[in-house]
Amino acid sequence: MIVARCALAAALTLCAGTAAAQEMPQGFVHLRTVDPGIAQDMRYATANNFTGHPLPGYDAGTCILQRAAALALQRVQADLTKQNLSLKVYDCYRPTRAVAAMARWAGDPHATPDTRRFYPTLKKDRLFALGFIAAHSAHSRGVAVDLTVVTKGSQQPPYDPAAHYGSCAGPSEARAPDNSLDMGTGYDCFDAKSWTRAAGLTAQQRARRALLLQAMTRRGFVNYKREWWHFSYPAADPRREYDFPVR
């Protein structure tokens, strides 16, 4: 009986510890509590992403960040508001289980549905080597954000999972719907045109990327050169990855 009670106590302790590990850690915040004016279009909580499925760990489509990163983003938003513009975030904190799911997708040649519109000119098994997908991510530390710029008050058009959208690097009117200012490619476009300073862009597309880059770097963010939409905030980096779910 004593052994059974001890076993039960140990099991309850283990369950309690597991439950506690799933809670949002101190220092993280929901972006909406800091700046509800920043638009959110959280793609990994939906099927509108390069895997074609919601990713594990995204129980809700909401942006979570380290508090300091969220406050810095609020300052960027205040700067853009003066130009009748707004930030729109595609991804913020990303659980490590979602990062692992991305890696499994990249290594599975039989994964469905067909999402080649996200990598129109590349072989899927090259995405790791080319730096578009990684085994570790600053997103899992709560200090990275994928985002764009929209006209303030504009609405995101509906996504149709049954539609056949064109290449993410093609003309904006053929891509999946997005109210983003046209940056030359869609979000998560695994293509050379996604490099922040890529060639082959129109003058307007270059100017819009420069606008986003300047607005973000002015407030302490650092861009990843292969993805115009990806920025990290080193000042808040805890150098630790997390796996609590987005709720």
Side-chain angles (χ1 to χ4, degrees), residues 64-96:
I64 295 173
L65 288 169
Q66 292 278 353
R67 180 181 297 277
L71 291 172
L73 214 56
Q74 180 186 41
R75 292 189 281 273
V76 178
Q77 176 74 354
D79 294 339
L80 290 175
T81 296
K82 299 170 186 175
Q83 304 175 60
N84 196 38
L85 298 173
S86 171
L87 293 172
K88 182 177 83 165
V89 294
Y90 295 114
D91 193 39
C92 300
Y93 159 72
R94 181 184 304 164
T96 57

Side-chain angles (χ1 to χ4, degrees), residues 19 22-24 30 57-60 62 64 97 244-247:
Q22 298 298 303
E23 297 298 323
M24 189 168 75
H30 285 86
Y58 285 86
D59 298 345
T62 187
I64 295 173
R97 72 190 82 176
F244 64 93
V246 177
R247 290 175 177 158

Side-chain angles (χ1 to χ4, degrees), residues 24-30 33 64-67 93-94 139-143 238 240-242 244:
M24 189 168 75
Q26 186 174 5
F28 282 82
V29 294
H30 285 86
T33 66
I64 295 173
L65 288 169
Q66 292 278 353
R67 180 181 297 277
Y93 159 72
R94 181 184 304 164
H139 283 283
S140 298
R141 303 197 295 271
V143 294
R240 173 188 171 187
E241 296 179 347
Y242 294 85
F244 64 93

Side-chain angles (χ1 to χ4, degrees), residues 113-136:
D114 182 355
T115 57
R116 277 176 290 183
R117 64 186 173 90
F118 286 96
Y119 52 104
T121 63
L122 299 174
K123 290 187 176 181
K124 186 178 173 183
D125 60 7
R126 293 283 295 154
L127 298 180
F128 259 106
L130 294 172
F132 288 112
I133 296 178
H136 297 277

